[in-house]
Amino acid sequence: ANNLSAEYSRIYGSDSLKQEVLKISSCLPKTTGVIDLGCGSGAQSYWLGELGYKVIGIDHSQVSIQNAKKQQSPNCTFLCTDINDFLDGSIMSLSSYKTVFMSHVLEHIDDPAGLLSMLSANFNFIYIEVPDFQSCPLNPARIKVGARLYSDDDHVWEFDLNSLLKLASESGWKCEYSEVHQGVISYY
C-alpha cells in the first residue's frame, strides 16, 4: 500500500494535474465546496484548496489519507472512510458542498449508475476521470474471443467515451465537456 500511494502521489501530483484542476475550476463558483471522492494522496484536493475551495477528501486507504494530510492545506479535510458510508451518513450536512470530483474511482465502484444517480440528486457539478477502455487497441479483440482484458485487476467496470456519456446522462447528469486524452476520459 505504501508503494501504491507513493506512485499515485508521483503521477497525480504532477503539473499536468494542476493544469487540469485550473481548467475545471474555471467552471465552478468560488463559493462551492468540493467533495473529492477517492482522493488518494490528495493532489487534486490540495490544488483545489490552494484555489480557495473548501475540500473534503475521502479515501478508503489509511496510507493515502496519511499522505494527504501531510500537504497541510488549511482548506482541506481528509477522512479515511468508504465512499458509501461517508455519503450515507453525511449527505444532509453537506449542503454547501455542491461539487464532486472522482478521478480514477468510478471504474472501481460496484454500482456506478446508483452512485451517479445519488450524486446527481444532491450535487450540482461532477468531474469524472476514468481510463479509456479503447486506448488499448487489443481490448475489443479480446472481448470478441473471450480473452482477459488488459486492465487493472481491481476494475469492476471499463468505460469508453460513449458508455460513460450514456451512464452519466441516464443518471441525471448533463455533460458540459468531455475528452479522451492519453488513454483517459475526462467528463464534466
Side-chain angles (χ1 to χ4, degrees), residues 3-155:
N3 290 340
L4 185 59
S5 182
E7 182 65 8
Y8 280 149
S9 293
R10 183 187 68 74
I11 294 169
Y12 297 112
S14 68
D15 193 52
S16 64
L17 176 66
K18 180 181 177 183
Q19 295 307 313
E20 186 72 13
V21 169
L22 284 170
K23 180 170 82 172
I24 297 162
S25 69
S26 68
C27 301
L28 302 175
K30 287 287 188 213
T31 57
T32 189
V34 178
I35 306 293
D36 188 355
L37 296 177
C39 69
S41 59
Q44 279 183 321
S45 299
Y46 173 80
W47 291 119
L48 287 162
E50 289 295 297
L51 292 170
Y53 296 96
K54 294 292 279 178
V55 182
I56 298 175
I58 306 297
D59 203 283
H60 69 13
S61 166
Q62 185 66 41
V63 172
S64 292
I65 291 299
Q66 287 170 350
N67 288 334
K69 287 179 177 180
K70 291 176 185 175
Q71 297 195 48
Q72 305 279 326
S73 177
N75 290 330
C76 297
T77 302
F78 295 102
L79 303 172
C80 183
T81 188
D82 177 80
I83 289 172
N84 291 319
D85 291 343
F86 172 76
L87 292 172
D88 287 346
S90 301
I91 205 75
M92 299 314 275
S93 63
L94 297 174
S95 60
S96 65
Y97 290 82
K98 294 298 182 187
T99 298
V100 176
F101 269 61
M102 290 193 304
S103 180
H104 293 267
V105 172
L106 197 59
E107 65 272 17
H108 301 275
I109 302 296
D110 289 330
D111 181 13
L115 177 63
L116 290 178
S117 293
M118 189 277 302
L119 293 173
S120 73
N122 293 285
F123 295 90
N124 297 337
F125 185 91
I126 193 165
Y127 172 79
I128 302 170
E129 188 175 278
V130 294
D132 177 28
F133 168 77
Q134 292 192 346
S135 67
C136 177
L138 295 177
N139 276 341
R142 288 183 176 115
I143 287 176
K144 205 175 228 180
V145 299
R148 179 170 157 64
L149 299 177
Y150 179 74
S151 172
D152 287 350
D153 289 337
D154 60 348
H155 285 190

